[in-house]
Amino acid sequence: VTLRDGIRADVPTLAERLRVRGYETAGFVTNFNVAAPFGFSRGFDRYEYLPEEPSNRDVYVGADVLHDRALEWLDGRTSEAPFFLYVHATDVHAPYRPSADYAARFLTRGPMPTADVDALLGRLTESPESLGPAEVTALSDLYDAEIAQWDDAFGRLWGALVARGRAEDTVLIVVADHGEEFRDHGGLEHGYTLYDEEVRVPLIVRLPGGAGGHQTSPQLVSAVDIAPTLAAIAGLPPFDLAAGGPLFTSQGRIAAPAVAEAITSTQFSRRELEAVVLPPWKIIFPPSGSRRDPEVYDLAKDPRETRNEATDHPVLIGYARQLLADATMPREGPRPAAPPVGPEVLERLRRLGYVVD
């Protein structure tokens, strides 16, 4: 629920359920938020965290190194059992430090010396209010360069899977966890708002052999649909979840959505927000006790969320508020709390900038 909590023991993980069915399971991650102390290693035969180091220029271990670790595991397998492999890259993330050749391709105002990039990123951290439009554009360009650099690394990983004969019998899912803001709504980076530049992310699925390919779902889909989708493909019983469902039928056709709405939230740097998407509407709620009013946007007519229509839709706001209340109510009596992480884990989160006291 928060960055300070681990996964509750009574919440089943996809890796646990697949391992019981005979799958070999492995995970390779480069972000401390999904490291073993939070419970994310549960169900994995091997789960390796490649640690960030704030003193390093790039902070995060790069995708090329990450992918090599995953391929080493894949090549070292000796059984014919099916496998579940989770690979979590963090290349596309502040600080925006792509390699020089990628930066040169994307900086619209021309190449920047490394010292100038470092100075710009220092101001992003220390005095973001001082950044002007040209500097924000440069930050956005560096972010685009990071995306391209990761995309090429992922292409090499997929090519390696093809070369190993895995393309025809493997489900591939690519998803992001958030986007970034570059003054779209007055802010920078992520975690502080729930506008679409931060929460509308890529979700790409390739079924074995490319079955059902070249489709784009017209429905509202969410990251909560991923585990039910993989469970259905693997022939597992459905998850007992409040939201989410399979994205595809067994023939590869896009399935009807399990739910008609999506809920998202953020709790970062003492800023807590919740939002409900009821196509075409998005309703954003301020923190409880705040003097701010909810915001309502018509995503079909106003995809950049520039016209707040809250005063015209009090009934919609009330309905969305009730959906949030229903989603957070215990369904079968009290449940055990998630285990809090220890002080050494919190200190590492602080060093990485994820916890602000």
Side-chain angles (χ1 to χ4, degrees):
V1 176
T2 76
L3 291 176
R4 300 168 183 260
D5 298 319
I7 301 173
R8 289 196 326 244
D10 66 312
V11 174
T13 71
L14 181 63
E16 285 177 311
R17 298 190 63 189
L18 289 170
R19 186 163 67 174
V20 167
R21 286 295 185 96
Y23 280 71
E24 293 185 357
T25 55
F28 299 87
V29 305
T30 57
N31 190 302
F32 190 57
N33 285 292
V34 291
F38 300 96
F40 286 93
S41 62
R42 185 146 43 90
F44 285 95
D45 300 312
R46 178 177 173 184
Y47 197 80
E48 186 173 341
Y49 161 56
L50 285 65
E52 304 103 316
E53 182 44 63
S55 64
N56 290 347
R57 175 175 171 77
D58 297 329
V59 179
Y60 301 98
V61 173
D64 280 338
V65 175
L66 173 71
H67 295 163
D68 285 344
R69 294 288 183 90
L71 291 171
E72 286 172 10
W73 174 82
L74 191 65
D75 290 341
R77 296 175 66 242
T78 57
S79 79
E80 294 300 317
F83 68 88
F84 172 59
L85 176 60
Y86 173 55
V87 183
H88 187 126
T90 324
D91 300 50
V92 186
H93 197 286
Y96 313 117
R97 287 195 174 104
S99 65
D101 54 335
Y102 282 92
R105 283 170 49 192
F106 284 86
L107 282 164
T108 53
R109 298 174 68 90
M112 293 177 64
T114 299
D116 291 351
V117 172
D118 288 346
L120 178 62
L121 294 171
R123 289 174 60 195
L124 173 64
T125 302
E126 297 166 9
S127 57
E129 69 285 348
S130 71
L131 297 171
E135 293 159 316
V136 172
T137 297
L139 290 170
S140 180
D141 292 342
L142 292 170
Y143 176 69
D144 290 345
E146 284 192 330
I147 294 172
Q149 187 168 342
W150 172 85
D151 186 65
D152 283 350
F154 172 74
R156 290 190 291 274
L157 174 65
W158 177 244
L161 292 173
V162 171
R164 287 160 171 78
R166 292 296 183 180
E168 299 308 305
D169 65 353
T170 300
V171 180
L172 174 72
I173 296 185
V174 180
V175 65
D177 59 342
H178 61 78
E180 297 282 89
E181 180 183 358
F182 294 96
R183 292 269 167 81
D184 304 68
H185 289 88
L188 295 165
E189 298 192 68
H190 65 272
Y192 303 100
T193 75
L194 294 174
Y195 299 112
D196 263 18
E197 59 266 16
E198 294 196 24
V199 300
R200 188 168 186 248
V201 297
L203 173 54
I204 302 167
V205 181
R206 185 187 188 276
L207 297 178
H214 306 288
Q215 299 182 81
T216 299
S217 174
Q219 313 290 350
L220 177 68
V221 299
S222 171
V224 298
D225 297 316
I226 293 173
T229 297
L230 289 173
I233 291 171
L236 301 178
F239 275 90
D240 181 18
L241 299 173
L247 294 169
F248 300 96
T249 67
S250 58
Q251 293 79 34
R253 291 192 295 270
I254 292 174
V259 291
E261 71 277 343
I263 293 173
T264 187
S265 64
T266 183
Q267 298 183 21
F268 188 63
S269 187
R270 293 177 291 220
R271 183 176 178 82
E272 301 180 12
L273 300 171
E274 293 180 300
V276 178
V277 180
L278 295 158
W281 302 103
K282 181 197 280 186
I283 305 93
I284 302 174
F285 291 94
S288 59
S290 169
R291 296 183 179 180
R292 294 171 51 207
D293 294 322
E295 301 171 44
V296 176
Y297 299 97
D298 184 338
L299 298 178
K301 298 178 181 178
D302 179 27
R304 294 188 178 274
E305 297 160 290
T306 61
R307 298 187 298 276
N308 181 4
E309 301 184 30
T311 56
D312 297 330
H313 298 283
V315 174
L316 180 64
I317 292 170
Y319 178 66
R321 198 187 303 276
Q322 187 59 52
L323 284 175
L324 283 174
D326 291 344
T328 55
M329 285 176 59
R331 296 179 178 271
E332 298 171 2
R335 292 187 181 273
V341 296
E344 70 286 350
V345 174
L346 282 177
E347 180 55 32
R348 181 155 185 84
L349 286 172
R350 289 188 187 97
R351 286 184 64 215
L352 293 169
Y354 286 111
V355 168
V356 180
D357 292 322

